[in-house]
Amino acid sequence: MVVQATNDFKEIITGRRSIRNYNPNYKISKKEMAEILEKASLAPSSVNLQPWRFLVIESKEGKETLASLAQFNQRQVRTSAAVIAIFIDMNSEFYLEDIYNNAVKEGYMSVEVKEKQVPGVRAMMETMTYEHKKEMNLIDAGLVSMQLMLAARAHGYDTNPIGGFEKERIAEAFDLDKSRYHPVMLISIGKAAEKGYKSVRLPVDVIAQWK
């Protein structure tokens, strides 16, 4: 089976479908999966903290564990090449210095700007409540999730966002610290075994206002 990659943006956004049944024999290499995740991570985030974390579940054992936590999404789990669990890292500021140092190294930011912004970001984070911080991170996770699905489509793969799983159990099931890593959604990825159906959208004059 040949995977048709594309750089046609219109085809990427209009051709995307939510696929629930995949070719179980089609696998995605670790190298290509890393490329997809790298493109997804170009999504914007608040003060560039990039709080998203990806857990790529592709092994037989990993899928068996996940299947027990996603009772109503068995086909996606079992037939996809992988299921990517999206988490937010509630300690994302741990990487603040690294992120801003690398921005200076790449010439995207001056040392002076970095030395002004890093203390400001730290001060902001210290004053935020847990819920405010979580809300900020969830917005960023939504951005990266959509970008991941579009990046996958550009590589010729199909996806499906999944919200129906046991969020309270998944971190510990995969040996993650549940107090630090908060699950957001699952995204199945692979090669569709059936054609996804089109769906309608509300017209712009219903969903948008101009003032």
Side-chain angles (χ1 to χ4, degrees):
M1 181 181 292
V2 177
V3 172
Q4 295 292 333
T6 180
N7 289 320
D8 183 337
F9 183 68
K10 183 177 180 180
E11 168 57 26
I12 290 170
I13 61 171
T14 61
R16 187 201 61 80
R17 301 284 184 270
S18 291
I19 298 299
R20 293 169 176 79
N21 192 27
Y22 300 85
N23 179 342
N25 299 314
Y26 199 96
K27 305 302 178 186
I28 301 174
S29 70
K30 185 175 181 179
K31 178 182 178 182
E32 188 172 21
M33 186 69 80
E35 290 174 1
I36 292 170
L37 297 179
E38 185 176 18
K39 290 172 183 176
S41 67
L42 294 174
S45 61
S46 302
V47 292
N48 199 26
L49 280 179
Q50 306 162 49
W52 45 72
R53 302 292 179 261
F54 306 114
L55 175 64
V56 182
I57 304 167
E58 60 178 5
S59 69
K60 180 180 178 181
E61 295 77 15
K63 284 193 168 191
E64 286 297 327
T65 299
L66 182 59
S68 68
L69 303 173
Q71 182 179 354
F72 301 107
N73 294 283
Q74 297 291 304
R75 278 194 303 168
Q76 296 98 307
V77 171
R78 297 188 184 280
T79 64
S80 61
V83 178
I84 304 168
I86 312 292
F87 291 84
I88 51 174
D89 182 357
M90 294 301 292
N91 292 348
S92 59
E93 65 271 21
F94 176 83
Y95 295 97
L96 176 63
E97 198 78 33
D98 289 343
I99 291 169
Y100 280 71
N101 281 339
N102 285 334
V104 172
K105 181 180 178 182
E106 294 296 329
Y108 303 152
M109 179 184 293
S110 68
V111 173
E112 293 74 21
V113 170
K114 177 252 178 182
E115 290 181 348
K116 181 180 179 180
Q117 288 200 2
V118 167
V121 172
R122 288 198 188 282
M124 180 192 76
M125 299 299 287
E126 288 172 1
T127 62
M128 293 177 71
T129 66
Y130 180 89
E131 288 303 319
H132 186 189
K133 185 177 177 183
K134 180 179 174 182
E135 181 181 8
M136 180 181 77
N137 288 344
L138 286 172
I139 291 171
D140 295 340
L143 292 169
V144 81
S145 296
M146 188 68 249
Q147 188 140 315
L148 193 160
M149 288 185 281
L150 295 179
R153 177 69 184 163
H155 277 250
Y157 298 113
D158 303 287
T159 56
N160 185 36
I162 301 168
F165 63 100
E166 296 190 44
K167 294 182 174 67
E168 288 300 314
R169 294 178 54 204
I170 188 169
E172 289 183 320
F174 288 97
D175 300 318
L176 298 175
D177 180 357
K178 68 179 296 182
S179 66
R180 175 173 178 175
Y181 299 104
H182 180 81
V184 179
M185 72 175 73
L186 307 175
I187 298 177
S188 58
I189 179 171
K191 194 61 187 170
E194 57 190 28
K195 198 170 184 178
Y197 58 86
K198 293 183 179 181
S199 57
V200 299
R201 295 294 184 271
L202 292 169
V204 171
D205 61 3
V206 172
I207 63 173
Q209 297 183 42
W210 279 258
K211 299 290 186 180

